[in-house]
Amino acid sequence: MNQFEGAADAGQEADAQRMRQAAVTPLRKRRLSGELYKRDQRVEALIAELAALSRDELIARAAIRKRSDPAYVPSECLVYFIRASRRDNNEMWFERLYRTLIERVMRSLSRAESPDGKTESLTRGVVRDKVFGRFVELLSADRAAYVDKVDYFEVRFDGALASLRRDAQEQAWRDENRSRPLEYDEESGELSLEVEAAAGVHDPFALSDLDDPAYRLRLDAAIAALPIEQSRIIHMLRQGFPIDSKEPDVMTIAQALGRSEKTVRTYRDKAFAALRAAMADGEER
């Protein structure tokens, strides 16, 4: 190969690289100066590289947990592909990406322990739940229509999550000072027979009911009205996370919440009973 052919090949590769990068959708949020938010150049280049992979290959890469691994996919990239899936209108693809990202967020938030590393204060637990709920809320809203607040998660994911945590801490501390303490069941708390019976006879996520758009809207509103920890459990159940597992590498609801399996099941059953009552009330109106 002569030098002209080599230069031509290099030019073609550079053009191809520019085309891949140009295909990456730019962000829309603007700084106070009027300048658009921009992703890190390395993130932009990696997004273009990952876009050439098959979906199975991308999910396999995203499952890597060690940031030191050369194949690790930063969360900024995951957020990009989750948002881009809106254009495909492919719910299955969205769910695969969403589950991977949510598991990362839960692992990050589950580290919020007290100084002794054994117990967790009520305020810390509330903060963690508020952060998780707000993050899910932002992604859900962005799924329906572009939310420029999510742009920050594509620029610096850890910083955006830390910002949510600061906001949640301020709100939790304000609530703690002006409201009565939040009530949580003891580890040994048992459900009443009425609640157990109500939870056992109704599955709010029966496929036959979920086929009805009106039912889904009422169900989402009922879930949002649940106590925050019950709501979080329901969200995780809908994403397919197990309550408990014998496999040490499997993220479970009990692990994410820092609660026992029995307590999680208690909250779940109470949530199901509340949802049943809410949905029955809606049908009577």
Side-chain angles (χ1 to χ4, degrees):
M1 179 185 297
N2 59 42
Q3 63 180 10
F4 297 106
E5 290 175 336
D9 289 342
Q12 290 174 357
E13 175 58 29
D15 289 340
Q17 178 69 12
R18 282 193 292 270
M19 289 179 65
R20 287 195 295 268
Q21 291 182 352
V24 177
T25 305
L27 300 174
R28 301 184 191 178
K29 187 173 179 60
R30 294 184 180 275
R31 303 183 185 277
L32 294 178
S33 62
E35 179 186 6
L36 283 171
Y37 272 49
K38 293 183 180 179
R39 305 176 188 89
D40 185 278
Q41 291 183 353
R42 291 170 296 181
V43 170
E44 288 265 354
L46 184 55
I47 289 173
E49 174 187 327
L50 294 171
L53 300 178
S54 70
R55 289 178 173 177
D56 287 340
E57 289 174 325
L58 177 55
I59 291 296
R61 287 274 300 269
I64 297 173
R65 296 177 184 173
K66 292 184 178 180
R67 297 194 182 198
S68 59
D69 191 312
Y72 177 81
V73 175
S75 295
E76 290 85 353
C77 296
L78 276 182
V79 175
Y80 172 84
F81 284 107
I82 285 175
R83 302 178 85 186
S85 71
R86 181 177 62 240
R87 297 192 298 270
D88 299 339
N89 196 27
N90 187 322
E91 289 299 321
M92 183 176 295
W93 175 230
F94 166 78
E95 291 292 340
R96 294 177 73 187
L97 292 168
Y98 180 78
R99 180 184 173 113
T100 301
L101 182 61
I102 286 298
E103 183 170 340
R104 287 190 183 187
V105 173
M106 288 198 302
R107 288 186 183 281
S108 174
L109 296 179
S110 65
R111 302 191 190 105
E113 298 177 339
S114 61
D116 63 11
K118 297 178 181 179
T119 59
E120 180 183 53
S121 71
L122 175 60
T123 299
R124 287 177 182 235
V126 171
V127 167
R128 182 186 61 199
D129 291 341
K130 285 181 180 293
V131 173
F132 180 84
R134 179 56 177 160
F135 180 73
V136 170
E137 178 186 344
L138 285 171
L139 280 188
S140 298
D142 189 73
R143 184 70 177 163
Y146 195 97
V147 176
D148 63 6
K149 290 182 179 179
V150 182
D151 286 4
Y152 189 18
F153 288 90
E154 291 195 52
V155 174
R156 192 159 69 88
F157 187 88
D158 290 341
L161 204 61
S163 180
L164 290 186
R165 187 179 290 109
R166 286 193 297 271
D167 292 343
Q169 285 173 340
E170 292 178 2
Q171 183 180 348
W173 290 332
R174 287 198 301 268
D175 292 345
E176 191 175 42
N177 288 330
R178 71 187 180 198
S179 304
R180 64 181 178 82
L182 296 176
E183 296 180 358
Y184 281 83
D185 289 340
E186 298 294 336
E187 291 292 322
S188 59
E190 296 290 343
L191 288 175
S192 66
L193 294 177
E194 293 81 6
V195 172
E196 287 183 335
V201 299
H202 180 73
D203 179 2
F205 304 108
L207 293 179
S208 58
D209 292 328
L210 290 175
D211 288 338
D212 181 0
Y215 179 91
R216 291 199 302 270
L217 288 174
R218 288 193 292 113
L219 179 59
D220 288 341
I223 293 172
L226 290 171
I228 190 167
E229 195 151 14
Q230 292 181 25
S231 176
R232 186 178 178 196
I233 288 171
I234 294 299
H235 279 300
M236 286 187 283
L237 286 173
R238 295 181 78 178
Q239 290 301 316
F241 287 98
I243 291 178
D244 199 16
S245 175
K246 295 181 179 179
E247 299 295 330
D249 292 334
V250 173
M251 169 57 72
T252 67
I253 299 175
Q255 179 184 351
L257 293 179
R259 300 277 179 176
S260 70
E261 176 188 358
K262 181 177 180 180
T263 298
V264 172
R265 293 187 187 280
T266 297
Y267 283 142
R268 178 205 60 186
D269 291 345
K270 284 192 172 184
F272 273 19
L275 293 176
R276 175 182 181 273
M279 300 309 290
D281 181 61
E283 290 173 356
E284 294 172 357
R285 294 181 180 180

